[in-house]
Amino acid sequence: MQGDDAELTAAVRAAQGGDEVAFRTVYRAVHPRLLGYVRTLVSEPDAEDVASEAWLQIARDISRFSGDADRFRGWAARIARNRALDHLRSRGRRPAIGGDESDLAVLPAGVDTADEALEALGTGRTMALISRLPQDQAEAVVLRVVVGLDAKSAAQVLGKRSGAVRTAAHRGLRKLAELLDETGGDSAEPAEGRGASQWDTGRGVTHKASRTLRET
């Protein structure tokens, strides 16, 4: 277990025992990326509210959680996704979730290009470009590369097969390569209806890109 994950695991366990300082540590470590994921599901004006609702449930149920840092991130992402979908349904809006790609068994070729594209993304532009992907690809890329989930954990969040999530993530990364080439280094505009904003993910996105593309 890497240092950051070990610290998050320890903080989660302390928070389960009622340590408020530890819970704040968990929040600071997980919230930015969780909020980025919520922004792939709901519009910008609602994202903060949905994320807050998710954290209220996380705080309420954390004592029943079992697992390490990776499992916690997946658990938190499932809660955030459910709150986002509830939010959309309560407003009579159809969730913009892509279809199942479980029939796509072969991973697309040329992932090196996508890897290079993700490495080249500026931190302020990341979510703006991701917001232009099809919904299933956007969710897969954010869950795997931004939130940091493996294919199995991301599949559990999305209710899909691991292979479908890997395929969507690879296709999304390849599409990012195309978008980067189209913009020629200029800022990308968020797609209407998904409200991605200028969100600084730090080096987490680019640092994890190569590892994500290698995972099976």
Side-chain angles (χ1 to χ4, degrees):
M1 186 181 298
Q2 297 180 352
D4 290 346
D5 280 357
E7 292 176 8
L8 178 56
T9 298
V12 168
R13 290 173 179 168
Q16 289 179 300
D19 188 327
E20 294 183 3
V21 174
F23 187 84
R24 287 196 292 271
T25 298
V26 172
Y27 178 86
R28 286 194 297 269
V30 176
H31 177 69
R33 302 182 197 284
L34 197 67
L35 178 60
Y37 176 48
V38 171
R39 283 172 172 155
T40 69
L41 297 168
V42 303
S43 61
E44 175 61 28
D46 299 326
E48 290 280 0
D49 288 342
V50 171
S52 294
E53 292 173 6
W55 278 105
L56 286 174
Q57 182 176 345
I58 291 168
R60 185 189 69 209
D61 297 343
I62 194 170
S63 62
R64 298 202 293 268
F65 168 76
S66 177
D68 58 9
D70 282 336
R71 287 184 178 273
F72 181 83
R73 282 189 285 263
W75 179 70
R78 285 195 298 275
I79 290 174
R81 189 174 197 266
N82 289 337
R83 297 289 69 75
L85 298 185
D86 286 347
H87 172 83
L88 292 173
R89 281 191 286 263
S90 71
R91 283 153 178 75
R93 293 158 60 186
R94 182 181 178 85
I97 304 303
D100 190 359
E101 294 184 351
S102 58
D103 58 326
L104 301 177
V106 180
L107 291 178
V111 295
D112 287 345
T113 301
D115 192 14
E116 292 170 3
L118 201 59
E119 289 291 342
L121 289 176
T123 57
R125 300 174 56 218
T126 303
M127 293 308 296
L129 284 174
I130 288 175
S131 75
R132 296 172 60 180
L133 299 176
Q135 185 68 35
D136 61 325
Q137 295 177 16
E139 283 198 81
V141 168
V142 172
L143 284 173
R144 298 205 64 199
V145 181
V146 179
V147 179
L149 303 183
D150 60 21
K152 181 178 179 180
S153 296
Q156 291 173 344
V157 173
L158 298 174
K160 294 185 176 184
R161 297 178 183 176
S162 298
V165 174
R166 283 195 294 268
T167 298
H170 277 266
R171 286 189 167 187
L173 291 174
R174 292 186 69 187
K175 182 62 176 177
L176 284 177
E178 296 173 8
L179 291 174
L180 185 66
D181 185 60
E182 289 174 6
T183 59
D186 295 331
S187 298
E189 294 296 328
E192 183 178 355
R194 289 238 286 279
S197 68
Q198 298 295 307
W199 171 52
D200 187 357
T201 60
R203 60 187 297 270
V205 173
T206 55
H207 180 67
K208 294 178 181 177
S210 297
R211 185 197 69 187
T212 298
L213 291 169
R214 289 196 301 268
E215 287 177 352
T216 59

